[in-house]
Amino acid sequence: MRLPVYKALLLLFLLSSGFAAHAQEILRGRVQVASGGQPVVGGEVFVRSLNRAVLTDSTGRFEVSGLAAGPQSVLVSALGYLPFSITVTLPADGFSFELTRRDQTTLKEVVVAAPQTTFGQTRLREVEGTAIFAAKKSEVIVPENLVANLATNNARQVYARVPGLNIWENDGGGLQLSIGGRGLDPNRTSNFNVRQNNYDISADALGYPESYYTPPTEAVKRIQLVRGAASLQYGTQFGGLLNFEMRSPEPDRKAAVTSRQTVGSFGFFNSFNSVSGTVGKLSYYTFAQYKRGNGWRPNSQYESKTAYADVRYQFTENLKAGVQVTHMDYLAQQPGGLNDAQFRQDARQSNRARNWFAVDWNLFNVNADWKLNARSNVNLMAFGLVAARQSLGFRPNVVSRPDEDYIGRDLIDGAFRNYGLEARFLNRYQLAGKDGVLLLGTRLYRGTTHSIQGFGPAGRGADFRFVEPDKFASTRNYSDYRFPNQNVAVFAENIFYLSDKVSITPGVRYEYIRTQADGVLDAVFRDLAGNITQINRQNENRLNPRGFLLGGLGLSYKPSERRELYANLSQNYRSITFSDMQIVNPSSVIDPNLQDETGFSADLGLRGETPGVLTYDVSLFALNYNNRIGEITQYDAFDNPFRRRLNVGQALIVGLEAYGEAELLPPPPDPAATPAAPRWQWSAFGNVALIRSQYLRSVLPLVEGNQVEFVPAINLKTGTRVGYGPVKASLQFLYLSQQFAEATNDESTTSPSAVIGPIPAYQVFDASVSWERRWLKLEGSVNNLLDARYFTRRATGYPGPGILPSDGRSYFLTVGVKL
């Protein structure tokens, strides 16, 4: 069904009287000198239960998230002052720690005031670790605080509080994450710089930034999103940063075990098991996950295995190092796409029983953190990737064409070998009586991708081997390419505190990119009867070195401690990817003269909170794309439709993004003190993105003035959460207005390939409930509560081509144990 805009807004109003759930606590406050009250800059606040320390900023303030309610042991120290340890009781907020200089003999009291903060989403501090986020639009999601279906990586629920995200739903098991926003192509989150614990996890961060691996949400501690202003520190992508911060080792136990078992509709099963602990100076966290399912549609079964190990060693009080290893592999059958008539007739049907996709992903990371002194920190990180992906299937232009077992299939085999090194230095200083924070960093990266496309075997099995290699050149599409590339970058950002309320953060990044394509391509084109109409052969050796400078500027004004007006303008850059350079696809043709994308992103917003009552972030944004890469629909000499990928033109996207969450019935001030008296908790959240997009200039007359693809004018998410004692429940709603799949804004729904046409408006409800007592937790979820029929994507190649229907209603039950 479709939901008119006024009804969607009415529903948002009704749901805003929503439900609440208990969340982890946040310890925040200020460290100051006992005599005089001056702030202590660079002081360390160490929380024993997390085995983690944070440093105070230029005003002496700090914040530690992810704490449990109840007593917490805290150690406060700073160079030149006497350290002391104290036990504080959460929930509470606004702590003031007073340090005494080493030449004094008495300590002042610790003052505790203000209520807790329990909202499901927070934001990054100005400085965290060796990174600067001042004046940048950021969101932080804590999955453990959500009442949601975490076993399936349900992106609709996990990212519900982030305004403006456009989510492609590729599979019911959450094997791949595909999110975009502000007009970014969601395909495998390729327009974000995607990281795990701050290192790259995509196939090739420079030339093929698609993420085939998504960390299990059950293992993630925090998900950090920083919009386009992250381009100066984390890479030049228009989307910004998406970082999965994995769970940390348990600091106070030698061995803590977590086990979660989930069963669900359509044969779904998920087993997640982890062990964590600390023995002396050595700490560790490791997990293993197994997942399988049959899928909502026929021919969509999958099986996935993921393993992860994180080992850390505290050499000294100021030096720690760690090693992390990740492995993931899965095999998924792909039911193929549908045309519009097939979707209307039966969205669950499939006429592709021979399409398969396999992934093998291996990540390595070695890192070290060195605290030089109370004001200076160094972080070093080396990382690598050894991975492969294989796709096999029958994918003709005509989606309804029958698939016979005797017909050979297209096969693409990609191998990725990447490694890199990043170094960061952060220093807090005073100059002319004013505070400042300087960040310097560098990145060295080298990646090699080997991609072969050719003729795979007939039959139905997942048989990923090439056949008839000597006949490729005359009868079959074939390509064999190597894509070596190098990247060197240096960057700097600095926070200048002009006063207690005003700061300015300029930044600059120099980027050197050297991309290369070396290979052979043989493209064979046929008519509807299967006769060869054209053969294009070419040997290619393309080298493209370039260097450029990006700049950015952020402004922050804080009229009070909990309210901020922020603004940021940063340049962005996106190089053409390997899939932009060459790939043989019957549904797509690539312009050989593609150019890199350039542009900028800007934010102007107001954010703040009233602890325990309200948190909000309202902002205006603008994204400008030059040489935006997009796709248009064209027809060949035989009237077969195909997509042409080219630099469409200059696109401008502007809009309003607003998020708010309110505690209508807050949790008790000290639940540990009154365990026998459960209380109701009730909260509501809502966010909306209102976006206008347009191609200002284009080389194509039919495109200029059109709406930009992947941009719904209205993107609305809202939800409620309720809790009573150990029981918690949530209800979430999502509405997206109509969007286009390509730049010509063609609204036709009669194309035989189904890659042409709009993506109609859709709305989805999700509901979840949980019960927890001591070591046992039970969870239940219903995805797509009203069993809506809709789709989020028209695929041009794998796993299509054609319409990819989203899953109907499904049920899940989880039993979790913590020992």
Side-chain angles (χ1 to χ4, degrees):
M1 62 177 183
R2 295 192 179 184
L3 192 68
V5 174
Y6 74 91
K7 288 187 178 180
L9 297 178
L10 175 61
L11 183 59
L12 173 62
F13 172 76
L14 293 175
L15 291 178
S16 66
S17 58
F19 301 98
H22 176 68
Q24 291 181 332
E25 310 300 337
I26 297 177
L27 169 65
R28 59 161 65 87
R30 191 170 186 264
V31 180
Q32 61 188 35
V33 182
S35 57
Q38 297 93 345
V40 176
V41 180
E44 184 176 271
V45 180
F46 178 81
V47 182
R48 296 186 189 278
S49 65
L50 297 180
N51 195 29
R52 180 164 61 92
V54 299
L55 298 179
T56 58
D57 61 21
S58 62
T59 63
R61 295 185 177 90
F62 68 91
E63 181 179 294
V64 184
S65 61
L67 297 171
Q72 294 285 346
S73 178
V74 180
L75 176 65
V76 185
S77 61
L79 192 64
Y81 298 89
L82 293 172
F84 73 92
S85 180
I86 189 170
T87 299
V88 298
T89 301
L90 299 179
D93 205 348
F95 289 90
S96 176
F97 298 117
E98 295 190 342
L99 290 179
T100 300
R101 298 184 187 276
R102 291 191 178 274
D103 58 356
Q104 298 178 358
T105 57
T106 59
L107 293 176
K108 297 295 183 180
E109 296 180 346
V110 175
V111 180
V112 181
Q116 63 175 337
T117 298
T118 60
F119 298 112
Q121 178 170 300
T122 61
R123 59 189 64 94
L124 292 167
R125 299 170 60 218
E126 290 184 341
V127 179
E128 291 207 8
T130 53
I132 288 177
F133 301 108
K136 295 176 173 62
K137 184 175 179 66
S138 65
E139 291 101 356
V140 177
I141 303 166
V142 183
E144 192 171 20
N145 293 348
L146 303 176
V147 183
N149 186 352
L150 304 184
T152 63
N153 286 353
N154 188 336
R156 287 198 311 268
Q157 291 181 290
V158 174
Y159 298 90
R161 286 169 172 79
V162 181
L165 287 188
N166 191 356
I167 301 169
W168 279 0
E169 299 172 6
N170 293 305
D171 56 77
L175 301 179
Q176 293 182 12
L177 177 67
S178 293
I179 62 174
R182 301 179 173 183
L184 302 174
D185 186 343
N187 186 38
R188 298 192 181 99
T189 321
S190 59
N191 281 281
F192 283 87
N193 185 272
V194 184
R195 299 188 171 211
Q196 175 178 281
N197 290 338
N198 293 313
Y199 57 87
D200 295 307
I201 64 175
S202 58
D204 188 303
L206 177 64
Y208 194 56
E210 298 190 3
S211 299
Y212 291 96
Y213 158 68
T214 301
T217 308
E218 293 164 303
V220 175
K221 180 180 179 181
R222 297 196 306 170
I223 302 174
Q224 304 166 348
L225 289 100
V226 184
R227 299 305 176 100
S231 60
L232 303 183
Q233 289 185 59
Y234 290 98
T236 61
Q237 296 280 37
F238 281 84
L241 169 70
L242 174 61
N243 180 51
F244 296 95
E245 181 183 331
M246 307 299 282
R247 291 182 180 272
S248 304
E250 287 282 347
D252 300 323
R253 302 179 61 184
K254 292 184 178 180
V257 178
T258 297
S259 180
R260 289 169 54 87
Q261 313 301 315
T262 303
V263 294
S265 301
F266 320 118
F268 180 83
F269 173 72
N270 178 75
S271 178
F272 176 86
N273 306 277
S274 69
V275 182
S276 175
T278 298
V279 181
K281 295 185 177 182
L282 182 71
S283 59
Y284 66 93
Y285 173 75
T286 182
F287 75 79
Q289 182 199 46
Y290 173 77
K291 181 187 300 187
R292 70 169 184 261
N294 297 325
W296 182 67
R297 298 171 62 198
N299 307 316
S300 56
Q301 62 177 304
Y302 55 86
E303 184 179 46
S304 169
K305 300 181 290 293
T306 306
Y308 171 85
D310 178 1
V311 180
R312 307 177 185 182
Y313 192 82
Q314 190 80 38
F315 289 93
T316 68
E317 182 180 353
N318 296 325
L319 178 62
K320 61 181 178 181
V323 177
Q324 297 167 3
V325 179
T326 305
H327 168 78
M328 182 273 295
D329 67 78
Y330 69 80
L331 174 65
Q333 191 174 12
Q334 299 180 323
L338 305 178
N339 60 34
D340 290 81
Q342 290 174 318
F343 176 79
R344 290 190 296 266
Q345 179 190 46
D346 180 9
R348 296 190 67 174
Q349 66 179 293
S350 166
N351 64 349
R352 299 287 177 261
R354 309 187 304 132
N355 291 10
W356 297 89
F357 196 88
V359 169
D360 186 283
W361 225 248
N362 300 279
L363 296 162
F364 310 93
N365 171 254
V366 179
N367 59 84
D369 288 287
W370 182 20
K371 181 180 177 182
L372 301 179
N373 53 53
R375 293 175 174 267
S376 302
N377 294 71
V378 172
N379 172 261
L380 298 174
M381 183 164 53
F383 55 92
L385 168 74
V386 177
R389 50 88 75 191
Q390 296 170 309
S391 53
L392 172 70
F394 179 67
R395 44 178 191 150
N397 272 329
V398 181
V399 172
S400 61
R401 180 180 172 184
D403 187 3
E404 302 294 343
D405 291 356
Y406 65 86
I407 301 176
R409 294 170 288 178
D410 292 323
L411 173 61
I412 301 178
D413 188 312
F416 311 98
R417 302 291 186 270
N418 309 319
Y419 59 88
L421 174 68
E422 291 190 4
R424 289 168 173 258
F425 169 75
L426 187 135
N427 181 57
R428 304 169 189 265
Y429 64 90
Q430 280 196 332
L431 181 65
K434 299 292 185 181
D435 294 313
V437 182
L438 173 65
L439 172 65
L440 300 174
T442 185
R443 171 183 170 90
L444 305 175
Y445 181 85
R446 181 177 178 85
T448 301
T449 294
H450 185 197
S451 180
I452 305 176
Q453 178 174 356
F455 189 45
R460 292 197 172 194
D463 185 358
F464 297 100
R465 60 185 176 86
F466 292 102
V467 298
E468 303 182 51
D470 56 324
K471 298 181 182 180
F472 282 150
S474 60
T475 63
R476 298 290 177 181
N477 295 322
Y478 175 71
S479 68
D480 186 344
Y481 271 80
R482 294 184 183 274
F483 301 98
N485 69 73
Q486 299 177 19
N487 177 214
V488 179
V490 292
F491 60 88
E493 285 200 71
N494 197 103
I495 306 176
F496 295 99
Y497 291 97
L498 307 182
S499 69
D500 290 340
K501 297 182 178 181
V502 180
S503 67
I504 180 173
T505 306
V508 65
R509 180 185 184 96
Y510 176 77
E511 191 96 2
Y512 172 78
I513 297 174
R514 183 180 184 270
T515 56
Q516 186 174 351
D518 185 5
V520 59
L521 170 67
D522 191 343
V524 180
F525 298 89
R526 301 173 182 269
D527 59 21
L528 294 178
N531 301 310
I532 296 177
T533 60
Q534 183 179 353
I535 298 177
N536 292 335
R537 297 185 179 93
Q538 64 183 57
N539 293 306
E540 185 174 16
N541 191 325
R542 190 192 316 180
L543 179 64
N544 186 12
R546 61 267 202 205
F548 52 90
L549 193 67
L550 299 181
L553 180 66
L555 299 171
S556 173
Y557 170 64
K558 294 183 177 180
S560 65
E561 182 179 349
R562 304 194 183 280
R563 190 165 71 252
E564 178 186 14
L565 180 67
Y566 63 95
N568 193 288
L569 176 66
S570 297
Q571 290 178 284
N572 300 101
Y573 179 93
R574 185 173 185 268
S575 64
I576 57 175
T577 65
F578 300 150
S579 57
D580 291 329
M581 290 181 181
Q582 287 296 356
I583 191 168
V584 182
N585 185 338
S587 302
S588 183
V589 174
I590 298 171
D591 188 332
N593 298 315
L594 273 181
Q595 301 296 316
D596 297 337
E597 293 178 313
T598 62
F600 67 83
S601 59
D603 288 282
L604 172 64
L606 176 67
R607 58 192 174 197
E609 62 179 336
T610 301
V613 179
L614 175 69
T615 183
Y616 60 90
D617 189 339
V618 181
S619 65
L620 300 172
F621 75 87
L623 261 72
N624 178 75
Y625 291 86
N626 297 316
N627 295 328
R628 177 183 169 90
I629 295 175
E631 295 182 344
I632 63 170
T633 303
Q634 292 185 330
Y635 295 84
D636 61 21
F638 298 90
D639 207 29
N640 294 317
F642 65 91
R643 301 282 283 275
R644 182 184 174 202
R645 190 165 180 82
L646 75 167
N647 292 112
V648 178
Q650 180 188 5
L652 178 64
I653 302 170
V654 296
L656 166 72
E657 293 176 338
Y659 160 76
E661 187 165 2
E663 290 278 9
L664 305 175
L665 288 176
D670 189 358
T674 57
R679 288 179 50 176
W680 285 99
Q681 306 163 34
W682 193 12
S683 72
F685 78 89
N687 71 71
V688 65
L690 305 175
I691 305 176
R692 179 178 174 82
S693 64
Q694 187 178 28
Y695 279 102
L696 301 182
R697 287 188 292 273
S698 177
V699 295
L700 304 168
L702 294 179
V703 170
E704 189 165 314
N706 282 1
Q707 180 178 321
V708 180
E709 60 271 34
F710 313 125
V711 184
I714 301 174
N715 187 330
L716 171 67
K717 307 181 188 75
T718 186
T720 60
R721 301 185 300 176
V722 69
Y724 183 76
V727 180
K728 303 174 179 67
S730 71
L731 177 67
Q732 295 185 178
F733 170 75
L734 175 147
Y735 169 78
L736 263 70
S737 61
Q738 177 178 288
Q739 55 185 297
F740 291 102
E742 44 83 56
T744 61
N745 293 182
D746 193 331
E747 298 199 49
S748 170
T749 58
T750 59
S751 167
S753 67
V755 299
I756 304 169
I759 299 173
Y762 63 90
Q763 52 277 322
V764 190
F765 283 92
D766 296 297
S768 298
V769 64
S770 70
W771 175 87
E772 184 174 12
R773 185 168 183 178
R774 298 175 64 188
W775 50 268
L776 178 64
K777 187 173 185 178
L778 302 179
E779 300 173 6
S781 297
V782 183
N783 290 354
N784 192 356
L785 183 64
L786 300 184
D787 201 22
R789 293 292 184 266
Y790 68 100
F791 62 91
T792 64
R793 180 182 181 187
R794 292 178 181 268
T796 59
Y798 288 99
I803 292 172
L804 303 182
S806 295
D807 286 3
R809 182 167 49 230
S810 53
Y811 303 87
F812 301 90
L813 176 64
T814 299
V815 178
V817 175
K818 289 186 177 181
L819 301 174

